[in-house]
Amino acid sequence: MFFSNSLENQLQRWNETIRNQPKNPNAYIRRGMVNFQLAKIDESIQDFDTAEQLDVRIKPYLWQRGLSYYYAERFVEGAEQFEIDLTVNAQDVEETVWRYLCIARSLGVEEARNSLLTVKNDPRRIMQRVYDLYAGNCTPDDVLIVGESEGIKGNFYSHLYLGLYYEVENNVDLAQEYIVKAADNYKIDDYMWYLAQVHKKLRE
């Protein structure tokens, strides 16, 4: 189940930190992450924006804001955020895939695939396979097989990114099936697991 109690406690802690240190950008990022985990999307974006206002250098590291933009349906800003992120983290498949998802939602899947950025050295096998799927170079089954071979974490990521893949393809049933499995069957201690919970909650 969604850990709403402990998240509410964390939110109170960060509220207190911010009261005591109103110029601490990291505190706003951390509170923004908790707001996102509680599915308070607009509040999370506000916190990330405040963090950037306090220290403009953190802009390329605000991948969390890109995720919030996706769920706020601010897809153009989401794509821009992930593009900036890739200037400091060029080998991260997730940044590239989320940029793809934002472009697919705003301009269509074909445009997203045509503008998919090249990533070669993400050390995670499951993310390499996810990249191949989004690039049109393998099947969903290929993703599931690698996920299966990598245990609970691999299973979580294969199901999450298949669900998101089907969402932008407008295949609502398969999107729901995979996201719900990621959220319910493969619980991991990871921000992205909370994202799966938030997705489930927002899409009911």
Side-chain angles (χ1 to χ4, degrees):
M1 262 309 280
F2 207 53
F3 303 140
S4 45
N5 287 345
S6 66
L7 286 172
E8 290 291 356
N9 292 343
Q10 288 178 48
L11 187 63
Q12 294 314 318
R13 276 214 310 278
W14 289 113
N15 284 341
E16 204 171 309
T17 303
I18 285 166
R19 269 197 300 277
N20 297 327
Q21 305 171 33
K23 297 270 188 283
N24 178 348
N26 187 48
Y28 288 96
I29 293 172
R30 296 304 294 266
R31 188 174 72 177
M33 291 171 75
V34 176
N35 272 321
F36 177 81
Q37 290 168 283
L38 288 164
K40 298 177 176 178
I41 305 300
D42 292 340
E43 289 92 332
S44 73
I45 292 172
Q46 224 171 332
D47 278 337
F48 300 137
D49 287 350
T50 302
E52 187 194 352
Q53 284 156 16
L54 289 168
D55 183 357
V56 292
R57 292 167 303 177
I58 61 178
K59 187 173 187 174
Y61 302 95
L62 281 174
W63 54 270
Q64 303 95 329
R65 181 168 61 183
L67 300 174
S68 293
Y69 280 147
Y70 181 83
Y71 289 100
E73 303 198 350
R74 292 166 63 176
F75 302 120
V76 173
E77 288 159 290
E80 281 170 7
Q81 177 68 58
F82 292 117
E83 222 163 288
I84 293 162
D85 296 350
L86 283 157
T87 62
V88 293
N89 193 8
Q91 304 314 327
D92 191 310
V93 167
E94 288 185 271
E95 308 270 21
T96 315
V97 161
W98 279 100
R99 178 179 172 272
Y100 172 107
L101 293 165
C102 288
I103 293 170
R105 292 291 301 272
S106 56
L107 300 171
V109 168
E110 199 177 332
E111 179 61 36
R113 188 160 289 151
N114 290 338
S115 64
L116 186 66
L117 299 171
T118 307
V119 178
K120 291 202 175 85
N121 300 318
D122 193 310
R124 298 167 295 172
R125 270 181 70 226
I126 184 58
M127 292 317 300
Q128 290 171 14
R129 192 48 90 212
V130 164
Y131 181 86
D132 292 340
L133 174 73
Y134 281 71
N137 296 331
C138 78
T139 68
D141 281 346
D142 295 330
V143 175
L144 289 171
I145 288 164
V146 172
E148 188 71 39
S149 75
E150 301 221 316
I152 186 165
K153 208 162 189 176
N155 271 320
F156 169 77
Y157 278 104
S158 64
H159 284 78
L160 173 68
Y161 283 108
L162 275 174
L164 291 161
Y165 174 82
Y166 284 122
E167 173 163 275
V168 299
E169 300 271 349
N170 291 321
N171 190 330
V172 178
D173 293 342
L174 281 176
Q176 181 181 359
E177 181 189 328
Y178 283 109
I179 296 277
V180 168
K181 276 185 184 166
D184 292 358
N185 299 357
Y186 303 113
K187 183 180 164 197
I188 57 173
D189 184 17
D190 190 294
Y191 194 67
M192 300 308 286
W193 180 78
Y194 282 99
L195 178 137
Q197 299 292 331
V198 168
H199 189 108
K200 210 172 81 164
K201 190 173 180 179
L202 295 177
R203 305 287 191 263
E204 299 174 334

